[in-house]
Amino acid sequence: MRFPGGDHPAAPPAGPVAGPGPEPWRRVAVGVPGPEFEARPPGRYAYDFPDTECDGWSTSSLTLRFASVRGAKHRYYRRPRQDAARAAVHEPTGGIVFAVADGVSSAANSEQGAIEACRAAVERMLDQLSQDSGDMDFPEVARHAAERLRELARWRLDGADPGPGEVADLYATTLTAGAVRPGPAGPVAEICRVGDSGAWLLNPSSGRYQPLFGSKTSSDALVVSNEVTPLPHVPDPLETVRVRLDPGHALLVGTDGFEDPLGDGDGQVGALFARHLAGPPPALWLAHLLDFSRETFDDDRTLLVVWPDPPAEPR
């Protein structure tokens, strides 16, 4: 990544994956890092969208961590973080519901669209689990999130009924949402997506990332494209997947700010996260890792991880 002005120091030469340096919380460098600079504040109405968010907790059978960090490009050009993530526990079933969104950069207020889509999806999935209706009704979840964006646009337009294009111009966002529920043979994850965010099963012992959706960077992809059809459009059929979580494995859901540098998982970024996600790290540590520095990768990054085993109780 090169910013205008030429006043930033040159990146050091390429090297192996680095762990945290001797200085506390020094950014992790992967290969050739990008330029270092103090982040600029986003616009005055972006105070609800902090540079970095993270969360982490455990139920009796599942552990969750997520983090979302603003990319270098948005830090430099005073744009808010346009990624979002939310998660909640459904206490009667012991399940976890989650949503990850990546606001489309061409939309005027995509950061608001991303967070509201996540909130709406989590609310509706909790309702569905309370109704004990079996499999998740993901088309209904996506429609509910799209309707939330239409409500936002209607408010923004002083009550006028917006068309799909007007909603997209204001609040377009991708959405990946799902639930992980305990079961007699192990937890089962059900996931849907609108757009191009990724999901993987990670086997830390082998370092292998098994993609759960088609990847724009995979070796078997026929076409590599940056085009995405986001909410408020709800595709028919909606992409969905159902998978069991084996002991020792982890479910990862991430926006393309994580997916692009990860690639097929066999490079330095894959090795870094396979090592640190062998068990649940502190939520702050996940955010620190996710904010790694690597040349040319400057997008917002969000990563949500679910492990099928809670951490051991302290003695």
Side-chain angles (χ1 to χ4, degrees):
M1 177 180 64
R2 297 180 63 87
F3 296 113
D7 54 348
H8 299 303
V17 174
E23 299 176 18
W25 298 99
R26 183 176 182 177
R27 288 184 76 191
V28 176
V30 181
V32 180
E36 290 294 329
F37 59 93
E38 179 67 12
R40 300 181 179 188
R44 61 178 177 171
Y45 296 114
Y47 50 81
D48 270 344
F49 307 95
D51 180 275
T52 301
E53 284 187 307
C54 61
D55 198 7
W57 36 264
S58 295
T59 70
S60 60
S61 58
L62 299 167
T63 295
L64 174 135
R65 302 284 188 267
F66 76 71
S68 184
V69 301
R70 188 160 60 131
K73 186 174 182 180
H74 286 163
R75 286 171 175 165
Y76 186 84
Y77 287 108
R78 303 193 60 195
R79 296 284 293 167
R81 175 172 48 87
Q82 296 169 342
D83 278 9
R86 288 294 182 267
V89 64
H90 184 256
E91 294 183 2
T93 62
I96 289 175
V97 298
F98 60 83
V100 170
D102 181 355
V104 176
S105 59
S106 60
N109 300 108
S110 62
E111 67 278 5
Q112 295 180 14
I115 190 63
E116 288 302 325
C118 285
R119 288 170 175 162
V122 166
E123 291 167 3
R124 188 45 53 100
M125 288 186 292
L126 288 173
D127 289 343
Q128 290 187 5
L129 289 181
S130 294
Q131 296 166 9
D132 193 23
S133 56
D135 292 345
M136 304 299 297
D137 184 352
F138 283 131
E140 203 270 338
V141 171
R143 288 193 295 268
H144 183 67
E147 180 58 30
R148 179 70 59 84
L149 301 187
R150 281 189 284 271
E151 291 171 358
L152 282 175
R154 190 176 298 115
W155 170 82
R156 182 70 176 269
L157 298 173
D158 295 323
D161 193 30
E166 291 175 293
V167 179
D169 287 344
L170 288 169
Y171 301 116
T173 181
T174 71
L175 177 66
T176 304
V180 182
R181 289 183 274 185
V188 173
E190 300 171 76
I191 312 169
C192 73
R193 76 168 180 176
V194 179
D196 62 352
S197 293
W200 305 263
L201 285 180
L202 168 62
N203 181 349
S205 62
S206 67
R208 180 173 177 266
Y209 294 79
Q210 176 189 341
L212 301 181
F213 295 105
S215 170
K216 61 187 177 183
T217 60
S218 65
S219 58
D220 57 353
L222 296 179
V223 177
V224 176
S225 173
N226 290 324
E227 294 185 2
V228 59
T229 303
L231 291 175
H233 174 73
V234 177
D236 183 18
L238 184 67
E239 285 188 276
T240 63
V241 66
R242 179 186 177 97
V243 65
R244 191 174 307 281
L245 298 186
D246 293 328
H249 289 54
L251 170 68
L252 278 60
V253 178
T255 60
D256 57 3
F258 173 76
E259 180 180 15
D260 289 349
L262 175 69
D264 58 13
D266 65 355
Q268 292 178 309
V269 172
L272 175 70
F273 281 86
R275 183 168 72 251
H276 285 275
L277 298 182
L284 285 171
W285 190 251
L286 176 61
H288 177 62
L289 289 173
L290 194 61
D291 195 30
F292 65 85
S293 179
R294 184 164 194 179
E295 189 179 45
T296 76
F297 293 104
D298 56 10
D299 198 3
D300 298 341
R301 297 183 192 135
T302 298
L303 182 64
L304 181 145
V305 189
V306 178
W307 291 263
D309 305 299
E313 291 292 331
R315 296 181 179 179

